[in-house]
């Protein structure tokens, strides 16, 4: 249950930090009341905003995960390095 609330908090913070992506939805909502266009355009824009923010956050999280993977140690193949000189003495 704790993990679920952490996920919900993450979603809400992500939407808060990317509030400016919702501006088209607000404009369409205002146009619904002023001009009379369908409210579904506004609903669609808000859904697109929520889905877009979640995809963006998941991609950034995946890239961070891939960048933090431990690297395999490579064998030193440089014949001029100090390590190899100690071996051949």
């Amino acid at each position: 249950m704790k993990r679920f609330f952490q996920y919900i908090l993450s979603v809400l913070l992500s939407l808060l930090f990317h509030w400016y992506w919702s501006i088209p939805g607000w404009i369409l909502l205002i146009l619904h009341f002023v001009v009379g266009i369908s409210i579904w355009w506004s609903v669609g824009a808000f859904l697109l905003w929520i889905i877009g923010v979640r995809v963006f956050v998941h991609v950034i999280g995946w890239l961070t995960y891939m960048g933090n993977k431990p690297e395999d140690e490579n064998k030193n193949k440089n014949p001029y390095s100090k390590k190899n000189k100690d071996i051949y003495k």
Side-chain angles (χ1 to χ4, degrees):
M1 195 65 154
K2 181 181 176 184
R3 191 169 175 101
F4 174 73
F5 286 122
Q6 287 175 345
Y7 178 77
I8 295 299
L9 180 63
S10 169
V11 169
L12 293 176
L13 283 176
S14 299
L15 292 174
L16 181 66
F17 289 147
H18 296 92
W19 65 269
Y20 49 88
W21 289 7
S22 70
I23 292 174
W26 293 110
I27 291 172
L28 289 170
L29 186 64
I30 292 169
L31 286 176
H32 165 71
F33 290 113
V34 173
V35 179
I37 66 169
S38 176
I39 197 163
W40 290 109
W41 288 102
S42 176
V43 171
F46 283 123
L47 286 175
L48 188 63
W49 166 56
I50 292 170
I51 292 169
V53 168
R54 291 312 303 158
V55 167
F56 178 75
V57 169
H58 283 291
V59 166
I60 295 298
W62 178 74
L63 289 173
T64 303
Y65 169 76
M66 294 304 286
N68 290 336
K69 274 190 163 180
E71 294 183 18
D72 298 334
E73 287 192 31
N74 295 331
K75 186 176 179 184
N76 188 2
K77 296 180 182 178
N78 185 356
Y80 300 107
S81 70
K82 187 175 182 182
K83 253 188 189 175
N84 286 342
K85 286 183 183 178
D86 294 336
I87 293 173
Y88 293 116
K89 282 188 176 180

